[in-house]
Amino acid sequence: MARNLIKMHKEFGPIYKFFPRTYLLPSEFGEFKNSFANKSGANRPVYIVKPEAGCQGKGIFLTNNPDDLNPEDHYVVQQYIKKPMLIEDLKFDCRLYVMVYSVDPLRIYLFKEGLARFSTDPYQQPTKKNMGNMYMHLTNYAINCRNKGKFIFNKGLDDADTGHKRTFTSILDYIKEEYDDGERKCDEMMHKIE
């Protein structure tokens, strides 16, 4: 997916700026290493490193040092978003589902519901001390469900707006309630997604 997003960004420019800077290693290791040039301390970029063929959060880690990686290993490396939107001090991501019904003519259906996955430890910007806390920095269900005593499992639609796995519409409802002009912000966001 990263390879195709990068190609689309090169072809169509700004319309494909919705994902963080991504490097495919080992082929782009030099470019990745150059992103650290003349940067030190708090100015060093933080990246999330994912094994190329991994799943369920296995092998993922954060780094701000290119020497942490073997230049020959296959990784997808993305710039870490340091100031994400938080709900209840927790980082989260959203998954929406689409069906490509036809390519020519292009016809895509966006399912009205999706899901949001939450981290289980309150978010803090990455530092040398907390970069290894995957319960803080990752939202993967397979990782966070192992955070004993903290992971809250939803048992049904009645509690779809609590816990660490929620409905996408509960996120929209939260934005509408908690932000000034939340209804308009949700409409704009959905328009951009569509």
Side-chain angles (χ1 to χ4, degrees):
M1 185 168 99
R3 184 173 287 112
N4 288 328
L5 286 171
I6 291 167
K7 285 180 186 176
M8 296 298 277
H9 182 258
K10 286 178 182 173
E11 180 71 24
F12 297 106
I15 196 167
Y16 275 86
K17 279 187 76 174
F18 59 84
F19 66 100
R21 177 63 173 109
T22 303
Y23 299 95
L24 301 175
L25 306 187
S27 63
E28 297 179 328
F29 188 81
E31 290 175 58
F32 167 67
K33 194 167 184 169
N34 286 341
S35 73
F36 293 91
N38 303 319
K39 295 178 182 165
S40 62
N43 293 328
R44 289 178 73 89
V46 175
Y47 290 93
I48 184 166
V49 182
K50 307 170 190 180
E52 184 180 67
C55 64
Q56 297 185 327
K58 293 176 187 158
I60 296 177
F61 63 96
L62 269 57
T63 186
N64 65 352
N65 185 348
D67 296 334
D68 289 344
L69 282 72
N70 178 340
E72 303 301 317
D73 284 347
H74 290 255
Y75 291 112
V76 176
V77 180
Q78 289 187 311
Q79 189 151 15
Y80 184 81
I81 299 170
K82 286 186 179 181
K83 294 184 180 182
M85 178 182 170
L86 304 175
I87 295 179
E88 298 165 11
D89 293 327
L90 300 174
K91 187 176 171 184
F92 68 97
D93 69 10
C94 294
R95 283 196 178 186
L96 299 178
Y97 299 93
V98 297
M99 179 179 77
V100 179
Y101 182 78
S102 172
V103 175
D104 189 15
L106 185 61
R107 185 181 289 170
I108 300 173
Y109 293 95
L110 172 63
F111 187 54
K112 297 251 184 242
E113 188 56 273
L115 65 93
R117 305 173 308 165
F118 283 73
S119 62
T120 46
D121 281 353
Y123 178 78
Q124 298 172 15
Q125 285 197 11
T127 65
K128 195 172 188 173
K129 287 185 179 182
N130 73 24
M131 261 198 272
N133 184 345
M134 297 298 106
Y135 300 129
M136 177 188 297
H137 296 295
L138 299 182
T139 56
N140 302 61
Y141 172 80
I143 290 173
N144 283 287
C145 71
R146 295 189 303 247
N147 196 357
K148 301 294 183 213
K150 291 192 176 180
F151 185 83
I152 299 169
F153 183 78
N154 305 50
K155 293 181 175 68
L157 288 176
D158 292 340
D159 61 353
D161 60 348
T162 61
H164 293 99
K165 203 171 191 182
R166 305 179 190 184
T167 62
F168 178 66
T169 51
S170 75
I171 303 303
L172 295 177
D173 290 344
Y174 175 87
I175 293 169
K176 289 173 188 175
E177 292 172 15
E178 297 295 323
Y179 289 86
D180 292 336
D181 206 13
E183 185 90 33
R184 184 188 57 77
K185 288 178 180 179
C186 285
D187 289 345
E188 282 180 7
M189 179 180 69
M190 289 310 299
H191 178 73
K192 286 180 181 179
I193 288 169
E194 290 165 5

